Amino acid sequence: MSTLEEKFRELDERNREALLGGGKERIEKQHLAGKLTARERLDLLLDSGSFVEIDKLVKHRCTDFGMDNNKIAGDGIVSGYGKIDGRLVFVFAQDFTVFGGTLGRANADKIIKVMDMAMKMGAPVIGLNDSGGARIQEGVQSLAGYSDIFHLNVKASGVIPQISAILGPCAGGAVYSPALTDFIVMTKESSYMFVTGPDVIKTVTHENVTKEELGGAMTHNSKSGVAHLVGENDESTMMMIRELTGFLPSNNMEDPPEKPFTDDINREDEKLQTLVPVDPNKPYDMMVIIESVVDDNNFFEIMPHYAKNIITGFARLAGKPVGIVANQPAILAGVLDISSSLKAARFVRFCDAFNIPLVTILDVPGFLPGTNQEFGGIIKHGAKLLYAFSEATVPKITLITRKAYGGAYGVMSSKHIGADVNLAYPTAEIAVMGPEGAVNIIFRHKISDRDKTAAVNDYREAFANPYKAAELGYIDEVIHPRETRKKLIGGLEMSQNKSVPGPSRKHGNIPL
Ligand code: HXC
């Protein structure tokens, strides 16, 4: 019988072995590739000393291909819970030094365990992905593990925030769990996501493409729209996730976390009085308005590299988190197209699911015309944005700074689809379309050039202003731009206890 001392020594030995993962050599290889290990990443992500590891001693049960002689405690996943800014989060981190971080039955069960716990305790789950995908030696058990995780991702959707970091390869089915989560953050030059890699693509389609071009961080942040944020390295990616989490409630039954604030709620900004040019064809930077009005000018942009004609992101107003959606007239005149509709719609749905009030700022000439857009399905993609705003029952405050033309007026959180407070600047133009387009249609072939100029001016006088809409009660108040901050805060304060019971139904049918 072993002594007490021997029993304690065995425990220490087992823990030591687990902490080493795949061993010193593989850890060095990971560092040489510019990547941190799973444990180093968790150290950065979580408040110091808060990590509680579970299932550290789990081993796989595979016996094929010599695997019975190759078992490593933890089996390639470090999982458990800890705190970010003192708030509980559940985490799992794939350890690339152990079987390439690949997913087998035993470590899939570790992920499932933390996801189940996260849902029961009502706390976010954060997955750090760095993996060769399905563990080949485990065959269908590995596929089953992935599929069980997908199912849980869907069950957790809208219940607890789910955040994925991509910090290495992420191939095949492995991309679909992150894709089902709310936010994907990738690291520059060391993370990849693709359904099939460059070699398979070459065989099937004869295309030559590098893995960076195919599925690197900037590809998914700027081209595909799969990812939401990009970090320069593992450390900055972890810091971004910490910052993002700070805006989110722990679950859908909570309000988002308030913070004490010192920024004056009545603060006015004189530069906003002259920011929006009277000439509707002149661009300006919408970001100036956003940064001017939010607490401490601190705006956390989501998807900053994708569909830049619309801006989405989080900020605080009077200490309370809000989601901001704003057209960006400095890019493509702020037009709504397929990409910007998708980007904004998903963001709006996230905010609505997690009780985050929406502030929508419009300067939009309408939907982008053209065969590209029509063949690509702008009708159904634009409808997603319309659906998302209509469906959202969180407090909705809308401000029109300049153009609100055509369908885009209705879609972008208008009074008619349930906004609670609708504001406009005196520079607002709320009409079916811009003056030139309108006159061309109304007086087609029936008017000389001189009369046309007069008609354009008449139209501008009559419609290119906020007052027709204000007379009808579609705009609650026309405000001075300098007072935007206090007006937004006032609207949010008034609507903070809003409650809108929905009709009984299984779920709606968003035009996917
Ligand atoms: C088992 C694997 C593995 C896998 C890598 N390894 N991928 N073991 N199953 N899928 C092991 C390697 O043998 C190696 O072990 C260690 O992980 C590190 O791999 P390397 O190749 O040395 O590293 P690197 O050169 O950095 O390349 C990483 C990689 C490459 C790009 C991920 O290994 C690779 O392409 N792997 C295959 C990826 C893949 O096709 N996965 C299946 C996707 S399909 P040692 O012992 O030498 O350290 C899928 C279906 C899911 O996931 C469906 C869900 C329903």
Side-chain angles (χ1 to χ4, degrees):
M1 199 191 300
S2 41
T3 62
L4 260 183
E5 203 174 299
E6 282 165 336
K7 283 182 187 290
F8 293 143
R9 203 176 311 126
E10 182 191 355
L11 169 64
D12 292 342
E13 193 42 50
R14 282 178 184 264
N15 276 330
R16 218 177 351 261
E17 185 207 327
L19 290 180
L20 257 188
K24 281 198 178 112
E25 218 172 276
R26 288 197 183 86
I27 292 176
E28 269 165 32
K29 207 173 154 197
Q30 180 86 345
H31 287 157
L32 278 176
K35 303 196 296 181
L36 298 175
T37 65
R39 288 176 194 284
E40 288 164 344
R41 288 165 176 162
L42 288 174
D43 269 353
L44 288 168
L45 177 68
L46 301 171
D47 293 352
S48 176
S50 70
F51 181 48
V52 178
E53 185 168 357
I54 51 181
D55 289 341
K56 195 197 243 173
L57 304 180
V58 161
K59 291 183 178 174
H60 69 72
R61 300 174 291 276
C62 176
T63 51
D64 295 312
F65 301 102
M67 286 292 275
D68 37 356
N69 300 317
N70 192 6
K71 297 190 180 203
I72 296 174
D75 200 36
I77 297 271
V78 183
S79 60
Y81 51 93
K83 288 186 175 166
I84 293 182
D85 291 332
R87 299 167 67 221
L88 177 69
V89 294
F90 286 80
V91 290
F92 65 88
Q94 291 171 327
D95 182 351
F96 194 77
T97 70
V98 179
F99 310 121
T102 51
L103 192 108
R105 184 69 257 178
N107 71 15
D109 288 341
K110 289 180 63 172
I111 296 178
I112 289 165
K113 193 179 198 176
V114 285
M115 289 182 70
D116 272 335
M117 287 174 80
M119 273 197 276
K120 270 190 218 147
M121 312 308 162
V125 64
I126 301 169
L128 310 185
N129 297 273
D130 185 0
S131 162
R135 189 174 293 167
I136 294 162
Q137 298 91 327
E138 295 206 26
V140 69
Q141 297 234 43
S142 157
L143 305 184
Y146 266 128
S147 307
D148 290 341
I149 293 168
F150 302 158
H151 193 206
L152 265 183
N153 285 132
V154 175
K155 278 191 177 166
S157 183
V159 180
I160 49 169
Q162 302 181 78
I163 300 172
S164 302
I166 312 295
L167 304 155
C170 201
V175 296
Y176 281 109
S177 172
L180 291 167
T181 63
D182 298 305
F183 297 101
I184 296 181
V185 191
M186 295 182 76
T187 299
K188 250 187 197 163
E189 286 161 25
S190 58
S191 68
Y192 310 97
M193 293 179 82
F194 30 71
V195 173
T196 48
D199 295 345
V200 178
I201 290 184
K202 187 154 190 202
T203 315
V204 177
T205 68
H206 308 293
E207 274 175 289
N208 278 314
V209 62
T210 65
K211 56 182 183 179
E212 186 67 40
E213 286 164 350
L214 181 66
M218 284 320 291
T219 296
H220 287 308
N221 271 273
S222 67
K223 282 195 183 139
S224 71
V226 166
H228 301 82
L229 291 162
V230 54
E232 287 298 320
N233 49 39
D234 285 3
E235 184 174 358
S236 72
T237 299
M238 295 304 111
M239 292 308 120
M240 273 182 185
I241 295 176
R242 283 181 65 88
E243 198 175 345
L244 171 61
T245 315
F247 290 102
L248 315 182
S250 294
N251 59 66
N252 67 330
M253 304 304 283
E254 274 186 10
D255 284 333
E258 272 183 58
K259 275 199 174 158
F261 65 100
T262 50
D263 200 349
D264 182 2
I265 53 173
N266 293 314
R267 175 170 58 78
E268 296 195 346
D269 188 348
E270 210 53 42
K271 81 169 172 297
L272 295 187
Q273 289 291 97
T274 51
L275 179 76
V276 179
V278 182
D279 178 352
N281 298 319
K282 274 205 178 141
Y284 64 96
D285 186 359
M286 181 62 87
M287 201 60 97
V288 174
I289 299 182
I290 297 172
E291 289 181 345
S292 154
V293 300
V294 298
D295 289 1
D296 303 322
N297 316 111
N298 184 15
F299 179 58
F300 186 79
E301 194 172 355
I302 298 293
M303 300 185 91
H305 304 285
Y306 183 77
K308 293 180 184 177
N309 38 330
I310 205 154
I311 301 168
T312 53
F314 298 108
R316 282 191 160 77
L317 279 166
K320 294 180 179 154
V322 290
I324 296 179
V325 179
N327 310 111
Q328 173 53 289
I331 310 270
L332 297 172
V335 77
L336 279 177
D337 54 7
I338 292 172
S339 311
S340 59
S341 300
L342 290 172
K343 168 177 167 179
R346 183 149 171 82
F347 181 76
V348 167
R349 294 197 100 213
F350 176 83
C351 290
D352 187 47
F354 289 102
N355 315 316
I356 301 172
L358 283 162
V359 172
T360 306
I361 313 182
L362 278 80
D363 188 343
V364 55
F367 282 97
L368 182 63
T371 49
N372 254 345
Q373 292 289 309
E374 295 290 352
F375 296 168
I378 182 68
I379 295 173
K380 83 176 166 200
H381 297 302
K384 287 176 185 152
L385 184 58
L386 174 54
Y387 195 106
F389 269 126
S390 295
E391 181 187 44
T393 56
V394 285
K396 294 188 281 192
I397 316 294
T398 304
L399 166 69
I400 300 174
T401 59
R402 195 169 54 177
K403 289 172 228 167
Y405 291 165
Y409 159 74
V411 167
M412 293 280 297
S413 201
S414 63
K415 182 66 87 194
H416 321 282
I417 62 168
D420 303 294
V421 177
N422 293 71
L423 306 169
Y425 284 175
T427 41
E429 300 182 3
I430 306 169
V432 176
M433 60 179 70
E436 283 80 9
V439 167
N440 278 339
I441 291 176
I442 303 172
F443 299 112
R444 197 193 309 246
H445 313 307
K446 289 181 220 149
I447 194 166
S448 70
D449 280 354
R450 223 185 60 185
D451 290 348
K452 199 185 212 171
T453 310
V456 165
N457 284 337
D458 286 350
Y459 181 95
R460 184 165 284 133
E461 282 294 302
F463 290 113
N465 62 59
Y467 299 110
K468 281 272 182 301
E471 282 167 21
L472 294 163
Y474 301 159
I475 292 294
D476 300 304
E477 194 180 358
V478 182
I479 63 167
H480 275 287
R482 68 162 83 87
E483 42 182 23
T484 307
R485 175 174 164 81
K486 73 174 172 198
K487 292 292 179 186
L488 294 179
I489 291 174
L492 289 163
E493 197 185 8
M494 180 277 289
S495 55
Q496 65 185 337
N497 294 327
K498 178 182 178 187
S499 132
V500 184
S504 166
R505 61 181 169 190
K506 190 169 176 191
H507 57 71
N509 190 14
I510 190 164
L512 292 174

